Amino acid sequence: MQWVRRNLKFLIPAGVVLAGIGIYLFFFVFAFHLMFIDDEVDEAGPVFDSGADASAQGAASVSPDEVVVVEETPAADAATTGGDEAVIGTDENKIDKSGPGGEVQASLDAVAEATSEAADETANDDVSPTTETPVATASAEAQIATLVEGSFIPRGRYSGEGRAFVLNDGSEQRFLRFEDFATDNGPDLNVYLVNSEANADEGTFDDDFIDLGDLQGNIGNQNYEIPAEVDLAVYDTVVVWCVRFGSAFTAADLLPV
């Protein structure tokens, strides 16, 4: 006890340092507290750049048609003058073409008649054919298809369940989606696409892989976009990988549908 009293000024700082190291290891290295905490997520289906929404896709993959109706063009008037033919004379006021000046009046009548006929021809040319049948154009949402899929299996002492599948809308864009997913929680978990099999030795998982980023949650539905250059015929297994300790938590083989 005397030794303790004599060295108390050294033991207290040492104890504080050791306690700090223990707390750091517990929470930040081994993350033992994660054994008792779940990170739950529930992400909706992915929305593609094309506008296709995996959450909204049901039995009908095509949106209702948008119909554009071409209205009937009104017919032009019979004459560009907008009325009946111009009248040179009436019954009450007819000009006698046989009398003096009759030849001049006859010439005027001929010019008026020719002008009226020309106006009729011009009006007929201006009338375009009409159609009573509407023209319909349809615009449809991109069809979302499942390219590959598989089920998660446990790895070692860690649990794993749920479904993984890859969605595509016909473009180069693809999403890896987890549904009804659950595994144990842990530190520094990432989602890998690997060139291996789900039940292979975990030492092969970090030899040739594509890192899709941090695991969003150890429970629940979630999405991960796959780079366009990734060949799913090569990287055909998804693994939840603990980067810190080089350990697989769960994996699923992705097989063609």
Side-chain angles (χ1 to χ4, degrees):
M1 291 295 295
Q2 292 182 353
W3 180 88
V4 172
R5 293 196 190 102
R6 287 197 303 268
N7 296 281
L8 194 60
K9 62 181 179 180
F10 301 107
L11 293 176
I12 293 177
V16 172
V17 171
L18 290 174
I21 293 174
I23 292 172
Y24 174 77
L25 293 174
F26 185 91
F27 286 100
F28 299 101
V29 177
F30 297 102
F32 290 117
H33 63 292
L34 295 179
M35 296 173 60
F36 312 101
I37 299 175
D38 288 324
D39 292 326
E40 297 189 26
V41 295
D42 188 13
E43 190 173 13
V47 178
F48 290 80
D49 292 340
S50 66
D53 187 347
S55 296
Q57 179 177 340
S61 59
V62 180
S63 62
D65 293 342
E66 297 175 0
V67 179
V68 178
V69 178
V70 178
E71 295 182 355
E72 185 176 349
T73 304
D77 293 334
T80 54
T81 55
D84 297 331
E85 294 180 2
V87 177
I88 301 295
T90 65
D91 292 336
E92 294 79 15
N93 186 25
K94 288 186 181 292
I95 297 176
D96 186 6
K97 299 182 180 65
S98 61
E103 294 180 357
V104 175
Q105 186 61 48
S107 298
L108 292 175
D109 290 347
V111 171
E113 184 177 358
T115 302
S116 178
E117 292 177 356
D120 290 341
E121 293 177 0
T122 302
N124 291 333
D125 291 340
D126 289 341
V127 177
S128 58
T130 61
T131 177
E132 297 181 357
T133 304
V135 178
T137 58
S139 62
E141 290 182 357
Q143 173 69 41
I144 298 177
T146 300
L147 301 181
V148 292
E149 65 179 349
S151 298
F152 284 101
I153 61 172
R155 288 289 314 191
R157 66 179 184 274
Y158 301 110
S159 64
E161 61 184 40
R163 176 172 169 248
F165 53 98
V166 175
L167 298 174
N168 174 251
D169 68 339
S171 67
E172 292 185 347
Q173 193 173 25
R174 297 164 298 176
F175 284 93
L176 172 67
R177 179 165 174 79
F178 298 174
E179 285 192 353
D180 302 320
F181 172 75
T183 188
D184 295 314
N185 208 354
D188 205 8
L189 298 181
N190 281 40
V191 177
Y192 283 5
L193 289 176
V194 304
N195 181 15
S196 188
E197 296 182 356
N199 59 359
D201 184 84
E202 68 179 5
T204 64
F205 290 158
D206 59 352
D207 290 339
D208 186 11
F209 65 92
I210 304 295
D211 188 353
L212 299 184
D214 296 339
L215 182 72
Q216 296 180 34
N218 68 302
I219 295 177
N221 304 332
Q222 48 206 285
N223 308 309
Y224 302 88
E225 187 167 3
I226 301 173
E229 65 274 11
V230 174
D231 187 352
L232 292 178
V234 176
Y235 301 98
D236 56 358
T237 298
V238 56
V239 176
V240 175
W241 182 256
C242 178
V243 178
R244 185 169 301 168
F245 297 108
S247 181
F249 275 45
T250 183
D253 290 319
L254 299 174
L255 305 176
V257 177

